């Protein structure tokens, strides 16, 4: 089942094109990794899909509904099917609210009951003790905060999970744990995942397909192993070489 | 009371004492603060009149106590008006943006361009003096500061990822405003207001000192200092007593503001286990 379809998405900042006729789709339970250097348009793509920024042209179809211009109730309905994990874990939580309050916010807004109990179960699901619901974001580590952000994102069982550089602000060991956690949850719950990163090494652990983004469009797209082992575009090879040296 | 708020207690007690004195001033004065006794004029502090008497023989202690009511009420009301009005304008500008933001911010720029005290002196002079007019003059020039602060804070809060997260959590605009925006801008605005109490007391007292504030025979600290300024060498208690009252009150409110700033810092929101 097709969860997300992006058609002819374009965006300019002033006269500079950032997205250039972008097209792709994503099925339930599938994970698409979008990789590229800083400034290639990865974050702009997800911000537009998440309706946090308007596109200049194009369509975003989520679960069969065109949400490109959705507002009010229609937009709220769209968010019921789409959640996001942000780059900076601590900044994605209101500093004046406990993790429990923040995780419970979507549950409350979308009419779930027994919120306290659900929050504790969600925390356990992401590997955090239930007592963490009483903690403030600055009282936990980056990795723990990102686990809590994952709990918030999956709390309402969305059809699409967007991870915008969700591991960039974490150290390497924690990165691996978070990637495994997101991958496991998406597989178990049949959630489509759009995983944005600038680090190609992470993608084999989570992504079924990879799209390499360059100057606002996909330079290459295919199965993860194929793209990594047999890159067709020069840009992908450069990216792979850069990551190889980073690993060294 | 949570451990987090404990450092506030001594300053809240001191502020409470000041407010208690101001509210119950008519019952706390040893003598009628307006009762003249020309035979006992300019008596130095003694066991009957602890802070002496002024040129009309009025008990200075009674007038200082009564003056706390006038000064504190006027200052706190003025502060409440400018902080609420200014913050509301700033929050609207920051949240809505567009033409309304441009218009109101240019208005605030115009008011900010005037030196505050000189504008207040001119406005109070034109309006004809009196405590109400002095407060009105300070209100007209005082709101842009709060508008600027709250607008800047709203813009900062709006750009934070947790606002995007809240939007994606299905939180509506109004809920967003009271659940995420206002609690995150309230702290700095409250701290600014607490630190401003002292300045406003000084400014109101200053206008009264210049004869543009409280009118005789109202007991008001600035006006009392104005009445005593010609006797600073012969009867210093007349000017020093209200001066000391202003000094103590301003110091207490400034210290309270400092402590509120410490307590309102979200990084200090620690639970008992830490």
């Amino acid at each position: 089942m097709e969860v997300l379809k992006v058609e002819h998405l374009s965006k300019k900042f002033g006269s500079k094109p950032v997205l250039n006729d972008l097209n792709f789709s994503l099925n339930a339970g599938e994970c698409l990794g979008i990789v590229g250097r800083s400034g290639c348009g990865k974050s702009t793509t997800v911000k537009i899909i998440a309706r946090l920024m308007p596109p200049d042209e194009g369509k975003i179809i989520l679960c069969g509904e065109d949400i490109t211009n959705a507002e009010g109730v229609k937009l709220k309905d769209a968010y019921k099917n789409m959640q996001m994990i942000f780059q900076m874990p601590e900044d994605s939580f209101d500093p004046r609210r406990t993790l429990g309050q923040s995780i419970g916010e979507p549950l409350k807004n979308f009419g779930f009951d027994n919120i306290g109990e659900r929050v504790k179960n969600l925390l356990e699901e992401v590997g955090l003790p239930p007592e963490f619901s009483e903690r403030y974001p600055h009282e936990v580590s980056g990795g723990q905060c990102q686990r809590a952000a994952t709990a918030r994102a999956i709390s309402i069982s969305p059809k699409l999970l967007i991870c915008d550089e969700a591991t960039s602000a974490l150290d390497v060991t924690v990165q691996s744990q978070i990637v495994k956690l997101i991958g496991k949850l998406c597989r178990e719950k049949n959630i489509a995942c759009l995983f944005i990163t600038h680090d190609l090494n992470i993608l084999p652990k989570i992504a079924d397909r990879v799209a390499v983004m360059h100057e606002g469009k996909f330079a290459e797209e295919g199965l993860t192993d194929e793209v990594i082992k047999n890159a067709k575009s020069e840009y992908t090879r450069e990216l792979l070489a850069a990551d190889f040296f980073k690993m060294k | 009371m949570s451990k987090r708020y404990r450092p506030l207690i001594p300053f809240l007690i001191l502020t409470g004492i000041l407010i208690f004195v101001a509210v119950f001033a008519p019952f706390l004065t040893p003598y009628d603060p307006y009762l003249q006794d020309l035979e006992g004029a300019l008596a130095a502090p003694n066991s009957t009149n602890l802070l002496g008497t002024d040129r009309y023989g009025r008990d200075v202690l009674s007038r200082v106590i009564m003056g706390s009511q006038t000064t504190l009420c006027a200052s706190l009301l003025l502060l409440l008006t400018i902080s609420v009005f200014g913050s509301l304008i700033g929050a609207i500008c920051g949240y809505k943006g567009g033409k309304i933001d441009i218009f109101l911010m240019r208005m605030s720029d115009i008011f900010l361009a005037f030196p505050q005290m000189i504008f207040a002196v001119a406005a109070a002079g034109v309006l004809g003096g009196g405590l109400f007019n002095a407060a009105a003059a300070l209100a007209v020039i005082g709101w842009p500061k709060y508008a600027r602060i709250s607008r800047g804070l709203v813009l900062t809060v709006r750009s934070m990822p947790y606002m995007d997260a809240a939007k994606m959590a299905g939180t509506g605009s109004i809920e967003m405003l009271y659940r995420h925006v206002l609690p995150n801008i309230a702290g700095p605005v409250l701290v600014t207001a607490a630190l401003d109490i002292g300045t406003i007391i000084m400014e109101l007292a200053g206008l009264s000192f210049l004869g543009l504030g409280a009118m005789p025979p109202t007991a008001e600290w600035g006006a009392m200092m104005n009445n005593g300024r010609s006797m600073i060498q012969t009867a210093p208690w007349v000017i020093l007593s209200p001066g000391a009252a202003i000094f103590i009150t301003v110091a207490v409110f400034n210290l309270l503001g400092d402590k509120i700033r410490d307590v309102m810092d979200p990084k200090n929101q620690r639970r008992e286990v830490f």
Side-chain angles (χ1 to χ4, degrees), chain A residues 51 76 79 83-84 86 90-97 105-106 109-110 134-136 138-139 152, chain B residues 4 160-162 164-171 175 179-180 183-184 264 266-267 269-271 274:
Chain A
R51 288 300 322 281
K76 190 174 170 180
Y79 286 141
Q83 286 294 305
M84 186 154 156
F86 295 83
E90 197 180 324
D91 289 349
S92 72
F93 284 96
D94 186 336
R96 298 203 172 272
R97 294 169 74 81
E105 193 169 16
N109 292 336
F110 289 109
E134 298 301 319
R135 291 203 180 176
Y136 287 94
H138 63 270
E139 291 180 332
R152 175 175 59 189
Chain B
R4 187 180 152 213
M160 292 302 290
Y162 63 78
D164 289 338
K167 187 183 175 187
M168 292 192 77
T171 310
E175 288 163 304
R179 213 184 270 174
H180 298 288
N184 279 294
M264 296 297 280
K267 302 281 181 202
Q269 252 172 258
R270 289 195 175 273
R271 294 167 311 115
F274 280 86

Side-chain angles (χ1 to χ4, degrees), chain B residues 13-177:
Chain B
I13 292 172
L14 287 173
T15 312
I17 292 170
L18 285 174
I19 291 171
F20 177 84
V21 170
V23 171
F24 295 101
F27 307 104
L28 298 174
T29 50
Y31 302 102
D32 181 348
Y34 300 107
L35 185 67
Q36 297 186 8
D37 174 18
L38 293 175
E39 282 180 18
L42 296 177
N46 56 63
S47 56
T48 316
N49 303 103
L50 289 177
L51 296 179
T53 59
D54 64 8
R55 72 169 83 189
Y56 302 107
R58 295 174 297 196
D59 181 47
V60 172
L61 176 62
S62 301
R63 287 182 65 75
V64 166
I65 292 172
M66 202 61 193
S68 69
Q69 191 172 62
T70 320
T71 309
L72 276 185
C73 280
S75 303
L76 292 178
L77 275 175
L78 173 60
L79 185 73
L80 192 73
T81 310
I82 60 170
S83 59
V84 171
F85 180 71
S87 301
L88 204 64
I89 286 184
I92 291 168
C93 289
Y95 204 69
K96 287 281 173 197
K99 284 179 184 169
I100 192 164
D101 178 29
I102 294 169
F103 175 73
L104 288 169
M105 284 304 107
R106 291 304 78 78
M107 287 276 291
S108 79
D109 284 343
I110 292 169
F111 283 107
L112 283 170
F114 287 105
Q116 188 155 333
M117 200 58 186
I118 291 172
F119 180 89
V121 167
V126 170
L127 291 170
L131 197 57
F132 180 81
N133 289 342
L138 287 171
V140 168
I141 198 79
W143 67 268
K145 177 181 172 184
Y146 287 89
R148 278 278 170 200
I149 290 171
S150 65
R151 179 181 176 271
L153 290 167
V154 169
L155 287 176
T156 308
V157 168
R158 259 184 69 183
S159 67
M160 292 302 290
Y162 63 78
M163 291 298 284
D164 289 338
K167 187 183 175 187
M168 292 192 77
T171 310
S173 296
I174 294 168
E175 288 163 304
M176 202 103 92
L177 204 63

